[in-house]
Amino acid sequence: VQLQASGGGLVQPGDSLRLSCAVSGSTVGNYAMGWFRQRPGLEREFVGRISWSGVRKTFADPVKGRFGLSRDNAKNTVYLQMNRLKPEDTAVYYCAADTDSDYAYDYWGQGTLVTVSS
């Protein structure tokens, strides 16, 4: 199973950005998917999670109300919609697959850099 995160870039505070995570080698519809980020100088942290059906979504407090999650199982892709971006959202963002629904992530993408700066 391979995960490819994309969509990062340089944006200004208040802007929006959508990250994609394309899954190959398996069917993403079987998995819960998570997004994590690693901000400069900090440990990797949880951002959000979407269930295999897309019905259940959870978010970390710093991004609640600003970030959204969706998935297109037909395209084997999961999305992280980031709105009202702040400089503190600057990080490398990673997607990950939880194949057993046990909240342990078994496969990770390579990360995509998001920089929020004026």
Side-chain angles (χ1 to χ4, degrees):
V1 179
Q2 293 186 325
L3 282 66
Q4 179 77 37
S6 62
L10 172 63
V11 297
Q12 294 187 339
D15 284 353
S16 297
L17 200 60
R18 189 177 78 161
L19 305 184
S20 300
C21 177
V23 179
S24 59
S26 188
T27 302
V28 73
N30 296 332
Y31 306 150
M33 298 291 293
W35 285 92
F36 294 77
R37 68 184 182 186
Q38 187 164 18
R39 295 185 281 175
L42 299 177
E43 300 281 324
R44 188 166 59 191
E45 61 183 356
F46 171 77
V47 173
R49 174 184 171 94
I50 183 168
S51 65
W52 67 269
S53 66
V55 172
R56 290 190 303 275
K57 304 173 187 178
T58 56
F59 296 94
D61 286 344
V63 306
K64 275 182 184 175
R66 298 189 297 122
F67 288 15
L69 285 165
S70 62
R71 62 191 303 156
D72 186 337
N73 290 341
K75 294 184 178 179
N76 250 18
T77 302
V78 178
Y79 303 99
L80 178 67
Q81 178 67 43
M82 305 186 294
N83 300 319
R84 303 196 305 277
L85 283 160
K86 303 176 181 180
E88 51 264 44
D89 294 318
T90 294
V92 177
Y93 284 76
Y94 300 89
C95 59
D98 173 6
T99 61
D100 300 321
S101 295
D102 61 356
Y103 291 82
Y105 293 88
D106 309 286
Y107 299 98
W108 293 80
Q110 85 292 355
T112 184
L113 176 62
V114 174
T115 303
V116 185
S117 175
S118 56

